[in-house]
Amino acid sequence: MNIDDLTSHMGAWLGGQGPHANVVISSRIRLARNVAQRPFLSTASPAQRRDIYESLSNEVARLYPINTSLFIDVDKASPLDRQLLVERHLISHHHAVSEGSRGVSVSHDESAALMINEEDHLRVQVLSEGLQLEALWTKINAIDDKLSDRIPFAFDKQLGYLTVCPTNVGTGIRVSVMMHLPALKWTKEIERVERATRDMRLAVRGQYGEGTDVVGDLYQISNQTTLGTSEEEIVEVFNNKIIPRIVEYEYAARETLIKHSLEQFEDKVWRAFGLLSNARCISTQETQTLLSPLRMAIHMDRFSVIDIQTLNDIFLQTQSAHLQKRAGTTMNGSERAIARASYIRQKLS
Amino acid sequence: MNIDDLTSHMGAWLGGQGPHANVVISSRIRLARNVAQRPFLSTASPAQRRDIYESLSNEVARLYPINTSLFIDVDKASPLDRQLLVERHLISHHHAVSEGSRGVSVSHDESAALMINEEDHLRVQVLSEGLQLEALWTKINAIDDKLSDRIPFAFDKQLGYLTVCPTNVGTGIRVSVMMHLPALKWTKEIERVERATRDMRLAVRGQYGEGTDVVGDLYQISNQTTLGTSEEEIVEVFNNKIIPRIVEYEYAARETLIKHSLEQFEDKVWRAFGLLSNARCISTQETQTLLSPLRMAIHMDRFSVIDIQTLNDIFLQTQSAHLQKRAGTTMNGSERAIARASYIRQKLS
């Protein structure tokens, strides 16, 4: 697989199916690992960093045979390719813009990605559509076991896995769920949810993770600390308690909207459709903002002009790097806005 | 004709044709007259006001035979009927909401209306589509002559016609032109036009006249003083100099938009269409704001989904009183917003 082939696929996490798919877009688990006897990247010299990169990419290549996966030298990749990987949630924004030897290995269906030399030597992530953290945990645990067989990870009996940032010390696990919460936003109950999640020491962020704003009512909810509790416990609480509870709140808020604000609900949905199917220039942010009520209405069986696959296709493909990769050329902001609007109209017509 | 029949017609001034129809929606001339030997309304007792009303409605009835026109006792009319007359530009807002004996006589095609006991005893107005002030002057002059044959108007050799408000003393004429100036607004050149017209002692107002805001880029431009210059001069300057000059400016601004902002132009037009053809609730103000770019694009042969007659029909019929008269019932704000959106969708589909 070549990086240019990515735009012709959907990405495992955006299939629109899976448990609680009406509210939970995707689930993700990542592990932070560092190689024992090697300096943390925060103190490593460029040469040490290159050494780590080279030995880890060899190990990763053994784990993911080249013929079924994609390995990208992020340092040598073009800005457009890096942006594409961010848009597909395969690397972090930090990994795209930082410097020095670094890379990412992606499984053929994009359900797993291993970042080398992000903040830690190794960041392993697995992704899925819907809420299926337990399956993801089984999967990432197996990957971790395979890696551990060959790589001596920095581990302290008392503390657990050692990481650059203290919040990752311990299990090194981060569990994230991307939720679509338009009704909680509309009814302003989202503020209560945000307070409650903060009280539980969870982070609520935008869809591209740390430092990104919430756009299109997509909230990424994740654990903040990884010390003093087992991976299985974190996964279990997320998968079976916290997220299903928020899903219930969102459903209740949707019911409330239908019961008390049906006209405004339909107005919002159809206006969004009217703008998307007629605009001649449109930004990514406006696109995602307008897709939100349509996504909700489709999931509520209250809008049937397009299906969720078409919506997810628009969602993914109208991002800036996707547009430019498909066009085979770089474009400035207004050219992208025109190309984006044109793509959307074609999909909606 | 009955007042309920009005909603099934278009109104002479909204035909969408006539000289400079691409920019000039309609022309209007009105004369202010008072009956000699009768007190001005500002000082008249209710009984005197009633006397004036009764004698003038008799005269007006002779001028407009009942079988081809509509006479409305505005004091006895329902609030909805009064509002309907305002929306059709047949009476002023002041006439709708003031108190005491008053009425209006409307010609069968709504091209002429005589208000009794508005600010002055008699306000005669003639309306047309496009820019045709000279024809309107001929018409109103003939009406004025007929009225003068039977009614002794308050007239001073030195000052001319005497009126309640000093700005009307003299000829008592007000010439107004309703112009659609979206491109001057967009390019912000409208501010220069407003300054220039103010320097010429002209008034620039919203479409419903005095005290109304500009909505949908519709500007009503009219003379402010009527003393010291003849009616013919005022009409000639308006019809052949001032308005054609503004029309030229608007055309130039439209050219500029096409040349330098074609994408934004088309985006604005199609977004307006998308919202109008999909909204489920919509206000009058938003409707008129969205109709503006469509009107411009139709006149520029850059939008052909609907024609100007359909647009004018939506423009007229979505006003609040029109909606309620057609529905045969009064409606609150949200009911009107839903009925309005539904009417628009039906017309655009």
Side-chain angles (χ1 to χ4, degrees), chain A residues 126-141:
Chain A
V126 290
L127 285 161
S128 77
E129 60 192 351
L131 181 65
Q132 26 195 345
L133 290 168
E134 289 175 330
L136 285 182
W137 169 243
T138 306
K139 185 171 180 175
I140 203 167
N141 203 20

Side-chain angles (χ1 to χ4, degrees), chain B residues 145-212:
Chain B
D145 284 349
K146 276 198 196 167
L147 290 168
S148 299
D149 286 348
R150 308 191 56 91
I151 308 166
F153 286 140
F155 186 86
D156 176 280
K157 272 182 197 155
Q158 197 100 49
L159 292 171
Y161 290 101
L162 301 177
T163 56
V164 172
C165 179
T167 59
N168 291 316
V169 170
T171 58
I173 197 174
R174 173 152 294 160
V175 169
S176 315
V177 175
M178 204 211 290
M179 305 189 78
H180 182 231
L181 306 175
L184 286 173
K185 179 72 194 304
W186 190 336
T187 58
K188 294 197 169 58
E189 289 170 74
I190 193 70
E191 290 157 25
R192 259 181 31 207
V193 171
E194 286 184 303
R195 270 200 305 278
T197 47
R198 242 177 279 126
D199 289 348
M200 289 186 281
R201 299 185 60 80
L202 304 178
V204 180
R205 302 188 168 108
Q207 57 173 303
Y208 302 105
E210 218 157 328
T212 63

Side-chain angles (χ1 to χ4, degrees), chain B residues 21-70:
Chain B
N22 287 357
V23 177
V24 178
I25 306 288
S26 61
S27 303
R28 172 176 165 267
I29 300 181
R30 73 109 172 99
L31 297 175
R33 296 289 183 260
N34 287 278
V35 184
Q37 315 299 337
R38 300 274 192 141
F40 276 166
L41 293 171
S42 45
T43 58
S45 70
Q48 289 173 316
R49 186 183 175 106
R50 198 175 320 112
D51 269 3
I52 296 164
Y53 172 73
E54 276 162 13
S55 70
L56 280 180
S57 30
N58 275 333
E59 292 304 333
V60 160
R62 286 170 203 268
L63 189 70
Y64 284 93
I66 285 297
N67 62 342
T68 57
S69 80
L70 179 66

Side-chain angles (χ1 to χ4, degrees), chain A residues 107-281:
Chain A
S107 75
H108 71 285
D109 63 353
E110 300 176 59
S111 68
L114 284 80
M115 280 186 279
I116 299 169
N117 290 354
E118 203 246 20
E119 186 177 271
D120 297 296
H121 295 157
L122 204 54
R123 289 274 175 105
V124 187
Q125 77 161 7
V126 290
L127 285 161
S128 77
E129 60 192 351
L131 181 65
Q132 26 195 345
L133 290 168
E134 289 175 330
L136 285 182
W137 169 243
T138 306
K139 185 171 180 175
I140 203 167
N141 203 20
I143 296 174
D144 189 36
D145 284 348
K146 277 197 197 169
L147 289 168
S148 301
D149 286 347
R150 312 191 54 93
I151 308 167
F153 286 140
F155 186 84
D156 177 280
K157 274 184 193 151
Q158 197 101 50
L159 293 171
Y161 290 100
L162 301 176
T163 56
V164 172
C165 179
T167 58
N168 291 315
V169 169
T171 57
I173 196 172
R174 174 153 292 160
V175 169
S176 315
V177 175
M178 205 214 286
M179 306 190 76
H180 182 229
L181 306 174
L184 287 173
K185 178 71 194 304
W186 188 336
T187 59
K188 295 196 169 59
E189 288 170 76
I190 194 70
E191 290 157 26
R192 258 180 32 207
V193 172
E194 286 185 303
R195 269 199 305 278
T197 48
R198 243 177 279 127
D199 289 348
M200 290 187 279
R201 298 185 59 80
L202 303 179
V204 180
R205 301 188 169 107
Q207 57 173 304
Y208 302 105
E210 219 158 327
T212 63
D213 290 333
V214 172
V215 172
D217 305 321
L218 292 170
Y219 296 80
Q220 189 161 281
I221 297 172
S222 57
N223 63 314
Q224 298 242 55
T225 53
T226 63
L227 190 70
T229 175
S230 74
E231 292 94 332
E232 286 83 358
E233 253 179 285
I234 295 174
V235 166
E236 203 275 330
V237 169
F238 249 73
N239 200 73
N240 304 332
K241 298 208 174 76
I242 296 172
I243 303 301
R245 180 69 62 85
I246 302 176
V247 169
E248 272 170 37
Y249 288 154
E250 171 65 18
Y251 276 130
R254 291 183 187 184
E255 281 304 307
T256 303
L257 286 181
I258 294 306
K259 206 164 164 189
H260 301 296
S261 315
L262 185 59
E263 287 88 5
Q264 291 93 318
F265 173 90
E266 297 199 322
D267 188 52
K268 190 166 187 157
V269 170
W270 283 99
R271 279 170 179 260
F273 176 73
L275 285 174
L276 287 168
S277 50
N278 285 284
R280 260 56 184 170
C281 317

Side-chain angles (χ1 to χ4, degrees), chain B residues 101-115:
Chain B
S101 302
R102 65 199 191 283
V104 64
S105 172
V106 178
S107 75
H108 71 286
D109 63 353
E110 299 175 60
S111 68
L114 284 79
M115 282 187 279

